Amino acid sequence: MRRTSIIASAAVVAAALLAVPPTSAAHDGHDHGTDPGAGAPVTEEFQKVVLNDTPGEPMDLAVLPDGRVLHTTRAGKLWLHDPETGINKQAGELDVYLHDEEGLQSVAVDPGFDGRKNRWIYLYYSPPMDTPVDDPSTPGVNEGDAPYTGTPEQFAAFEGVLRLSRFELDGDTLDLSSEQHIIDVEQDRGICCHVGGDIVFDNAGNLYLSTGDDTNPFESGGYTPIDERENRNPAFDAQRTSANTNDLRGKVLRITVGEDGSYTVPEGNLFEPGTPGTRPEIYLMGLRNPFRIEIDPDTDALYVADYSPDARNASPQRGPNGHGRWLVARDSGNHGWPYCVTPDMPYQDWDFATGTSRGAFDCAAPKNESPHNTGLTDLPPVEQPDVWYPSVTSAEFPELGRGGVGPMAGPAYDYDPKTARKHSNAWPAYYDGVPLFYEWTRDYIKGFPLAEDGTLAGIEDVLPGLPLSSPMDMEFGPDGALYVLEYGKGYFSENPEAALSRIDWIGPHGNRTPVPAASADVAGGSAPLTVAFSGEGTEDAEGDRLRYAWDFDSDGRTDSWRRNPVHTYTEDGVFTATLKVTDLGGRDRGKSASAEVRIVVGNEVPVVEFVTPVQGQEFSFGDTVAFEVRVTDDQPVDCSRLTVTYILGHDTHGHPQSSATGCTGTITTTLAQGHDPAEDNLFGVFNATYRDPGVDGLPSLAGSAEVTLTPVS
């Protein structure tokens, strides 16, 4: 089912100014009139059920047709949640290159997946290759950081790829030997940023892959990074990627994958196959960081959100302030970066050598004249986004508020009455056909209902007041519930608020899922290890009778039905004890949720502590800060396994700037251009992570520590 609407709002006024008149239409009985969100189910009719509250550094999720949920961590792990048992287990681990934002990014499920003949899972990741890494024996030099200035030979050492491959999921295990390489996207490693991507499929089976511009934005004042100087690292020029018709970065690619993992190019992409100076895989170009894309399951419209540069104020010499964008793409096109935000909002052609402007770019007929361009000079005209907004309140879209700019394209709900009858947690028909939009920095969800002609018809609050912590990904499952991955408030590690959850609709009188709590009197030790577990703190909103089921070793079999059992581990290992609590009363009896406790037998988790710098230590941006890290472990400490990362903290997010290996060393605390310590909430963050080598066949364990430094003028 679909619904369309017309809502009187600033968005409609903006559409009229752009000569794109929205169309009024009825929509399945929901008449909003002039009140956005009128008649919407209230937040209290929904419940957020946590599925995994220790998800690592979470990146992306995918729901399998049978209801199991996959999610990736940047460090290379693929996790699987089983709703039948409530158990979270590691389905696989890829060896990945980790520097700044690199690692394991996105996961997707083949549209024909049935777990038998078709078991394909798609992953987008950074293979290690032979990229230089930091040598801990030289604490004053970081060989893993690419030079900002140098020669082509020096830059070439850091050339790498992000790889889209598919693997078979054999039961609950990823078969690494089944890998089929599909496509490589070139990358300039050892320097930040925008190397993420997302994977979706349309109804014809075509695969769409979004790619970031792989460009360092921190030396451009928060405006467009187009540094063409001869000795400058090319990673400072987004014209080599987003505006390059012969490069796959800063794009949405559209391909059709064959049985052997090879691919063909469907009709309708931006450039005809064989066009000199172009890549036929390109569907959309001119994107900066399209971190999340989604396909409408009914219309095949592609929803794209594109991240913003950081300038807070417009400059007559540089161009507009930073704007995030959201758009509906039904055809191929050029979306302007790094030349234009919209067709009427061009950047200035800034000469980094002379520090002067050469005038505004022509958005109707942009030209890529960069020496780093390997494609066409004359580019397609810039397309109009459907939504564009800055950090301050938008004149066109005031409903989006103000704050950081982290746009995420969410899914459109495809309501099915059969699913709703079968699953009591399915979302209501009210949201049928409404694309969701969520904000990574502002922690909200909005609805972007569309008129019959496909234009934006308004902006609605969705679940206002529901606690969210940097929502990272969202997807409707086969049960009609919304699955959500939250990153939490922190930097490049597992944050306390990070979680994989499911948001159920329970209606005004529905029975809520119990909220389990699991704990243990010890976290680990030597075998035999006796552990006293507890389910104290478990709650049920209706006070119904509950059933407690403990699985001490994640083998899928219940080991105890007691609320507070005792268990002795006789063998070494890392065990996840899962408590599944089931509601035995109420209208929707049988609802269950799980909580976990990790027990380590035979290998202790490393304890990581900063000796220097210390929490709250004052510094000035540009200072070279010496660090010393103490690691305590039950195995000999190998300082080459310790990574220290300096992150420029900004409000509730951070920009990784540099990393070093070793227990001692120095890192220079750079300040990204476009960030003003006098106006912005800036600080320095040092994160230290140590991963032991494991022992006697046990997997390695990681410990981390973090300190925040206070800048002074």
Side-chain angles (χ1 to χ4, degrees):
M1 298 176 65
R2 300 277 97 176
R3 77 179 177 97
T4 54
S5 62
I6 176 65
I7 302 174
S9 69
V12 173
V13 175
L17 293 174
L18 293 167
V20 186
T23 301
S24 177
H27 48 84
D28 298 332
H30 301 294
D31 184 8
H32 291 213
T34 59
D35 182 10
V42 297
T43 304
E44 289 72 23
E45 295 181 6
F46 293 82
Q47 182 183 10
K48 181 180 175 184
V49 179
V50 176
L51 306 179
N52 187 348
D53 64 356
T54 56
E57 184 190 349
M59 297 302 295
D60 192 35
L61 74 85
V63 187
L64 292 160
D66 61 8
R68 292 177 297 163
V69 188
L70 299 168
H71 85 265
T72 58
T73 72
R74 193 174 65 89
K77 293 183 178 181
L78 178 68
W79 285 91
L80 183 145
H81 172 80
D82 187 337
E84 293 298 321
T85 63
I87 291 174
N88 295 294
K89 63 175 61 177
Q90 184 176 309
E93 183 172 11
L94 275 64
D95 186 15
V96 294
Y97 169 76
L98 291 169
H99 187 287
D100 295 324
E101 297 175 348
E102 286 94 346
L104 174 56
Q105 302 292 337
S106 292
V107 58
V109 179
D110 192 275
F113 183 96
D114 59 16
R116 298 179 299 278
K117 291 184 178 180
N118 185 323
R119 301 183 297 183
W120 291 118
I121 302 297
Y122 295 74
L123 296 174
Y124 189 51
Y125 71 100
S126 303
M129 305 178 69
D130 58 354
T131 307
V133 295
D134 187 30
D135 182 353
S137 67
T138 58
V141 179
N142 190 340
E143 295 85 356
D145 283 349
Y148 280 19
T149 58
T151 65
E153 292 75 21
Q154 290 175 307
F155 303 142
F158 290 89
E159 293 176 357
V161 301
L162 263 163
R163 176 164 294 154
L164 175 66
S165 289
R166 66 180 183 181
F167 305 77
E168 287 195 313
L169 186 68
D170 185 3
D172 291 345
T173 302
L174 190 72
D175 182 0
L176 297 178
S177 68
S178 66
E179 180 175 11
Q180 292 182 346
H181 295 177
I182 298 172
I183 190 171
D184 283 348
V185 177
E186 55 268 70
Q187 299 293 317
D188 292 311
R189 292 178 166 182
I191 189 169
C192 200
C193 290
H194 305 157
V195 296
D198 205 7
I199 310 162
V200 296
F201 291 88
D202 65 17
N203 286 302
N206 298 313
L207 182 152
Y208 297 73
L209 172 67
S210 67
T211 64
D213 71 356
D214 187 30
T215 297
N216 189 306
F218 301 128
E219 300 290 320
S220 307
Y223 299 97
T224 186
I226 50 173
D227 193 339
E228 302 173 354
R229 286 176 289 179
E230 184 176 357
N231 68 337
R232 193 64 155 157
N233 191 317
F236 289 98
D237 183 10
Q239 296 172 106
R240 85 195 191 291
T241 57
S242 295
N244 188 346
T245 62
N246 199 32
D247 191 281
L248 299 181
R249 291 167 286 185
K251 310 292 195 300
V252 172
L253 313 180
R254 180 171 170 261
I255 60 177
T256 306
V257 182
E259 290 186 3
D260 61 354
S262 64
Y263 67 86
T264 57
V265 175
E267 293 184 359
N269 281 1
L270 191 55
F271 305 108
E272 288 287 336
T275 304
T278 69
R279 290 292 298 265
E281 300 93 340
I282 297 171
Y283 182 65
L284 304 179
M285 66 176 293
L287 298 168
R288 181 176 184 263
N289 189 18
F291 194 72
R292 286 290 172 261
I293 60 175
E294 290 289 351
I295 284 280
D296 189 299
D298 186 67
T299 68
D300 270 348
L302 177 68
Y303 305 127
V304 181
D306 197 20
Y307 268 59
S308 164
D310 291 322
R312 289 182 175 270
N313 301 302
S315 164
Q317 295 297 312
R318 303 298 298 274
N321 53 328
H323 280 70
R325 303 184 293 181
W326 180 87
L327 58 99
V328 184
R330 293 179 175 83
D331 297 296
S332 58
N334 176 22
H335 291 273
W337 178 257
Y339 300 130
C340 305
V341 178
T342 72
D344 300 317
M345 199 180 294
Y347 284 102
Q348 295 285 315
D349 186 3
W350 184 254
D351 187 328
F352 282 75
T354 63
T356 59
S357 171
R358 294 177 288 217
F361 289 109
D362 182 356
C363 301
K367 293 180 178 291
N368 186 348
E369 298 175 317
S370 168
H372 301 125
N373 180 32
T374 62
L376 302 178
T377 299
D378 296 316
L379 305 181
V382 175
E383 302 284 344
Q384 173 67 42
D386 293 82
V387 174
W388 60 102
Y389 68 101
S391 59
V392 297
T393 302
S394 166
E396 296 85 4
F397 310 100
E399 302 94 333
L400 297 179
R402 59 188 299 144
V405 183
M408 303 288 237
Y413 183 43
D414 191 17
Y415 176 76
D416 182 353
K418 293 181 181 179
T419 300
R421 287 193 295 269
K422 182 178 179 182
H423 299 282
S424 60
N425 61 342
W427 277 38
Y430 178 90
Y431 290 107
D432 182 55
V434 178
L436 298 184
F437 171 86
Y438 54 107
E439 239 286 351
W440 192 79
T441 65
R442 304 185 189 187
D443 294 334
Y444 62 54
I445 307 173
K446 301 286 185 180
F448 283 178
L450 303 177
E452 284 186 339
D453 65 353
T455 58
L456 184 73
I459 296 176
E460 304 178 358
D461 290 329
V462 177
L463 308 184
L466 181 80
L468 292 171
S469 186
S470 296
M472 195 71 165
D473 193 22
M474 294 183 181
E475 182 175 314
F476 282 104
D479 57 353
L482 183 68
Y483 291 78
V484 179
L485 197 62
E486 295 170 88
Y487 190 83
K489 302 302 181 183
Y491 316 99
F492 303 94
S493 61
E494 182 179 275
N495 298 309
E497 308 90 350
L500 170 69
S501 301
R502 188 187 69 237
I503 300 178
D504 297 337
W505 184 58
I506 57 174
H509 307 295
N511 189 38
R512 292 182 176 271
T513 299
V515 180
S519 61
D521 64 339
V522 294
S526 300
L529 179 68
T530 298
V531 182
F533 292 99
S534 174
E536 297 297 331
T538 297
E539 298 177 349
D540 183 76
E542 292 80 22
D544 294 328
R545 185 165 61 92
L546 302 177
R547 182 178 65 207
Y548 294 79
W550 286 90
D551 182 341
F552 298 131
D553 52 9
S554 300
D555 65 356
R557 294 192 295 267
T558 299
D559 297 308
S560 175
W561 300 99
R562 295 179 179 273
R563 182 175 186 176
N564 304 312
V566 175
H567 179 72
T568 298
Y569 292 95
T570 59
E571 298 180 356
D572 289 347
V574 179
F575 300 94
T576 299
T578 301
L579 168 62
K580 181 178 181 180
V581 179
T582 303
D583 189 339
L584 298 180
R587 287 178 51 194
D588 300 320
R589 62 176 298 163
K591 286 190 171 183
S592 64
S594 301
E596 299 175 343
V597 181
R598 188 173 71 161
I599 304 296
V600 180
V601 184
N603 185 16
E604 296 181 6
V605 177
V607 177
V608 181
E609 304 169 279
F610 272 100
V611 178
T612 58
V614 298
Q615 180 70 21
Q617 179 175 315
E618 294 184 344
F619 79 110
S620 296
F621 289 108
D623 287 352
T624 297
V625 176
F627 64 82
E628 180 181 352
V629 180
R630 180 189 301 118
V631 179
T632 305
D633 196 25
D634 60 336
Q635 304 172 49
V637 173
D638 178 0
C639 285
S640 69
R641 304 181 69 88
L642 177 75
T643 300
V644 178
T645 302
Y646 162 66
I647 302 154
L648 173 64
H650 182 193
D651 293 331
T652 59
H653 66 284
H655 306 293
Q657 299 293 297
S658 183
S659 60
T661 301
C663 295
T664 60
T666 60
I667 292 182
T668 300
T669 57
T670 53
L671 173 65
Q673 291 186 12
H675 295 76
D676 185 354
E679 295 185 10
D680 299 333
N681 177 31
L682 302 178
F683 41 90
V685 178
F686 277 69
N687 177 280
T689 298
Y690 179 82
R691 182 174 292 278
D692 72 21
V695 60
D696 296 332
L698 295 178
S700 64
L701 299 176
S704 64
E706 198 166 88
V707 293
T708 300
L709 279 60
T710 304
V712 295
S713 57

mmCIF file of all heavy atoms in Angstrom, residues 553-571:
data_model
loop_
_atom_site.group_PDB
_atom_site.id
_atom_site.type_symbol
_atom_site.label_atom_id
_atom_site.label_comp_id
_atom_site.label_asym_id
_atom_site.label_seq_id
_atom_site.Cartn_x
_atom_site.Cartn_y
_atom_site.Cartn_z
ATOM 1 N N ASP A 553 26.621 -21.130 27.209
ATOM 2 C CA ASP A 553 27.720 -21.276 26.251
ATOM 3 C C ASP A 553 27.321 -21.026 24.799
ATOM 4 O O ASP A 553 28.042 -21.403 23.869
ATOM 5 C CB ASP A 553 28.351 -22.658 26.370
ATOM 6 C CG ASP A 553 27.302 -23.772 26.291
ATOM 7 O OD1 ASP A 553 26.138 -23.469 25.970
ATOM 8 O OD2 ASP A 553 27.661 -24.931 26.568
ATOM 9 N N SER A 554 26.161 -20.411 24.564
ATOM 10 C CA SER A 554 25.712 -20.015 23.219
ATOM 11 C C SER A 554 25.611 -21.187 22.256
ATOM 12 O O SER A 554 25.848 -21.044 21.055
ATOM 13 C CB SER A 554 26.654 -18.947 22.628
ATOM 14 O OG SER A 554 26.683 -17.795 23.416
ATOM 15 N N ASP A 555 25.215 -22.348 22.778
ATOM 16 C CA ASP A 555 25.041 -23.489 21.881
ATOM 17 C C ASP A 555 23.586 -23.675 21.457
ATOM 18 O O ASP A 555 23.243 -24.638 20.776
ATOM 19 C CB ASP A 555 25.566 -24.772 22.524
ATOM 20 C CG ASP A 555 24.774 -25.182 23.769
ATOM 21 O OD1 ASP A 555 23.867 -24.430 24.181
ATOM 22 O OD2 ASP A 555 25.087 -26.245 24.336
ATOM 23 N N GLY A 556 22.719 -22.752 21.877
ATOM 24 C CA GLY A 556 21.320 -22.808 21.486
ATOM 25 C C GLY A 556 20.462 -23.683 22.366
ATOM 26 O O GLY A 556 19.252 -23.803 22.119
ATOM 27 N N ARG A 557 21.038 -24.281 23.413
ATOM 28 C CA ARG A 557 20.275 -25.143 24.320
ATOM 29 C C ARG A 557 20.171 -24.476 25.688
ATOM 30 O O ARG A 557 21.152 -23.903 26.187
ATOM 31 C CB ARG A 557 20.941 -26.510 24.454
ATOM 32 C CG ARG A 557 20.932 -27.329 23.173
ATOM 33 C CD ARG A 557 21.331 -28.776 23.443
ATOM 34 N NE ARG A 557 22.703 -28.864 23.907
ATOM 35 C CZ ARG A 557 23.748 -29.063 23.104
ATOM 36 N NH1 ARG A 557 23.561 -29.152 21.786
ATOM 37 N NH2 ARG A 557 24.959 -29.167 23.590
ATOM 38 N N THR A 558 19.006 -24.563 26.284
ATOM 39 C CA THR A 558 18.799 -23.973 27.599
ATOM 40 C C THR A 558 19.506 -24.815 28.660
ATOM 41 O O THR A 558 19.319 -26.035 28.742
ATOM 42 C CB THR A 558 17.299 -23.874 27.920
ATOM 43 O OG1 THR A 558 16.675 -23.026 26.948
ATOM 44 C CG2 THR A 558 17.072 -23.313 29.309
ATOM 45 N N ASP A 559 20.333 -24.140 29.474
ATOM 46 C CA ASP A 559 21.094 -24.819 30.525
ATOM 47 C C ASP A 559 20.455 -24.674 31.903
ATOM 48 O O ASP A 559 20.729 -25.487 32.795
ATOM 49 C CB ASP A 559 22.518 -24.268 30.574
ATOM 50 C CG ASP A 559 23.269 -24.528 29.275
ATOM 51 O OD1 ASP A 559 23.290 -25.680 28.832
ATOM 52 O OD2 ASP A 559 23.817 -23.557 28.714
ATOM 53 N N SER A 560 19.628 -23.640 32.088
ATOM 54 C CA SER A 560 18.969 -23.457 33.383
ATOM 55 C C SER A 560 17.705 -22.640 33.192
ATOM 56 O O SER A 560 17.673 -21.699 32.384
ATOM 57 C CB SER A 560 19.897 -22.743 34.376
ATOM 58 O OG SER A 560 19.210 -22.478 35.591
ATOM 59 N N TRP A 561 16.657 -23.020 33.947
ATOM 60 C CA TRP A 561 15.400 -22.274 33.940
ATOM 61 C C TRP A 561 15.282 -21.395 35.185
ATOM 62 O O TRP A 561 14.254 -20.761 35.394
ATOM 63 C CB TRP A 561 14.206 -23.222 33.879
ATOM 64 C CG TRP A 561 14.197 -24.085 32.647
ATOM 65 C CD1 TRP A 561 14.610 -25.367 32.541
ATOM 66 C CD2 TRP A 561 13.753 -23.698 31.340
ATOM 67 N NE1 TRP A 561 14.466 -25.830 31.256
ATOM 68 C CE2 TRP A 561 13.932 -24.818 30.489
ATOM 69 C CE3 TRP A 561 13.233 -22.523 30.796
ATOM 70 C CZ2 TRP A 561 13.605 -24.803 29.140
ATOM 71 C CZ3 TRP A 561 12.896 -22.514 29.446
ATOM 72 C CH2 TRP A 561 13.079 -23.633 28.634
ATOM 73 N N ARG A 562 16.322 -21.352 35.994
ATOM 74 C CA ARG A 562 16.284 -20.548 37.216
ATOM 75 C C ARG A 562 16.533 -19.072 36.897
ATOM 76 O O ARG A 562 17.223 -18.739 35.933
ATOM 77 C CB ARG A 562 17.328 -21.035 38.222
ATOM 78 C CG ARG A 562 17.082 -22.449 38.745
ATOM 79 C CD ARG A 562 18.193 -22.847 39.710
ATOM 80 N NE ARG A 562 17.971 -24.189 40.245
ATOM 81 C CZ ARG A 562 17.231 -24.434 41.315
ATOM 82 N NH1 ARG A 562 16.670 -23.423 41.979
ATOM 83 N NH2 ARG A 562 17.070 -25.676 41.746
ATOM 84 N N ARG A 563 16.003 -18.225 37.777
ATOM 85 C CA ARG A 563 16.241 -16.795 37.598
ATOM 86 C C ARG A 563 17.680 -16.447 37.954
ATOM 87 O O ARG A 563 18.305 -15.630 37.269
ATOM 88 C CB ARG A 563 15.277 -15.986 38.479
ATOM 89 C CG ARG A 563 15.429 -14.480 38.327
ATOM 90 C CD ARG A 563 14.375 -13.747 39.133
ATOM 91 N NE ARG A 563 14.405 -12.314 38.885
ATOM 92 C CZ ARG A 563 13.542 -11.452 39.399
ATOM 93 N NH1 ARG A 563 12.567 -11.870 40.192
ATOM 94 N NH2 ARG A 563 13.639 -10.171 39.113
ATOM 95 N N ASN A 564 18.222 -17.101 38.997
ATOM 96 C CA ASN A 564 19.566 -16.793 39.479
ATOM 97 C C ASN A 564 20.374 -18.094 39.595
ATOM 98 O O ASN A 564 20.581 -18.611 40.693
ATOM 99 C CB ASN A 564 19.515 -16.083 40.835
ATOM 100 C CG ASN A 564 18.676 -14.819 40.798
ATOM 101 O OD1 ASN A 564 18.831 -14.001 39.903
ATOM 102 N ND2 ASN A 564 17.790 -14.657 41.771
ATOM 103 N N PRO A 565 20.853 -18.628 38.481
ATOM 104 C CA PRO A 565 21.539 -19.921 38.520
ATOM 105 C C PRO A 565 23.037 -19.775 38.820
ATOM 106 O O PRO A 565 23.607 -18.680 38.782
ATOM 107 C CB PRO A 565 21.325 -20.453 37.112
ATOM 108 C CG PRO A 565 21.317 -19.211 36.271
ATOM 109 C CD PRO A 565 20.655 -18.151 37.103
ATOM 110 N N VAL A 566 23.672 -20.907 39.078
ATOM 111 C CA VAL A 566 25.117 -20.998 39.256
ATOM 112 C C VAL A 566 25.641 -22.016 38.247
ATOM 113 O O VAL A 566 25.042 -23.082 38.059
ATOM 114 C CB VAL A 566 25.487 -21.422 40.690
ATOM 115 C CG1 VAL A 566 26.999 -21.623 40.817
ATOM 116 C CG2 VAL A 566 25.006 -20.387 41.698
ATOM 117 N N HIS A 567 26.769 -21.673 37.604
ATOM 118 C CA HIS A 567 27.339 -22.573 36.596
ATOM 119 C C HIS A 567 28.853 -22.595 36.742
ATOM 120 O O HIS A 567 29.482 -21.565 37.027
ATOM 121 C CB HIS A 567 26.970 -22.119 35.187
ATOM 122 C CG HIS A 567 27.546 -22.979 34.106
ATOM 123 N ND1 HIS A 567 27.093 -24.246 33.841
ATOM 124 C CD2 HIS A 567 28.567 -22.753 33.224
ATOM 125 C CE1 HIS A 567 27.778 -24.762 32.841
ATOM 126 N NE2 HIS A 567 28.685 -23.877 32.448
ATOM 127 N N THR A 568 29.458 -23.761 36.525
ATOM 128 C CA THR A 568 30.910 -23.901 36.568
ATOM 129 C C THR A 568 31.446 -24.196 35.173
ATOM 130 O O THR A 568 31.026 -25.162 34.523
ATOM 131 C CB THR A 568 31.313 -25.031 37.527
ATOM 132 O OG1 THR A 568 30.866 -24.716 38.849
ATOM 133 C CG2 THR A 568 32.832 -25.183 37.548
ATOM 134 N N TYR A 569 32.363 -23.334 34.725
ATOM 135 C CA TYR A 569 33.047 -23.531 33.444
ATOM 136 C C TYR A 569 34.309 -24.348 33.701
ATOM 137 O O TYR A 569 35.164 -23.963 34.502
ATOM 138 C CB TYR A 569 33.411 -22.197 32.804
ATOM 139 C CG TYR A 569 32.216 -21.391 32.345
ATOM 140 C CD1 TYR A 569 31.653 -20.406 33.163
ATOM 141 C CD2 TYR A 569 31.649 -21.601 31.095
ATOM 142 C CE1 TYR A 569 30.561 -19.668 32.746
ATOM 143 C CE2 TYR A 569 30.554 -20.858 30.664
ATOM 144 C CZ TYR A 569 30.015 -19.893 31.495
ATOM 145 O OH TYR A 569 28.932 -19.155 31.078
ATOM 146 N N THR A 570 34.442 -25.463 33.015
ATOM 147 C CA THR A 570 35.572 -26.364 33.246
ATOM 148 C C THR A 570 36.642 -26.254 32.172
ATOM 149 O O THR A 570 37.725 -26.824 32.331
ATOM 150 C CB THR A 570 35.076 -27.821 33.302
ATOM 151 O OG1 THR A 570 34.427 -28.142 32.068
ATOM 152 C CG2 THR A 570 34.107 -28.008 34.468
ATOM 153 N N GLU A 571 36.347 -25.538 31.087
ATOM 154 C CA GLU A 571 37.312 -25.394 30.000
ATOM 155 C C GLU A 571 37.569 -23.922 29.729
ATOM 156 O O GLU A 571 36.704 -23.061 29.979
ATOM 157 C CB GLU A 571 36.793 -26.067 28.726
ATOM 158 C CG GLU A 571 36.587 -27.563 28.856
ATOM 159 C CD GLU A 571 36.072 -28.167 27.569
ATOM 160 O OE1 GLU A 571 35.811 -27.395 26.612
ATOM 161 O OE2 GLU A 571 35.910 -29.396 27.510
#
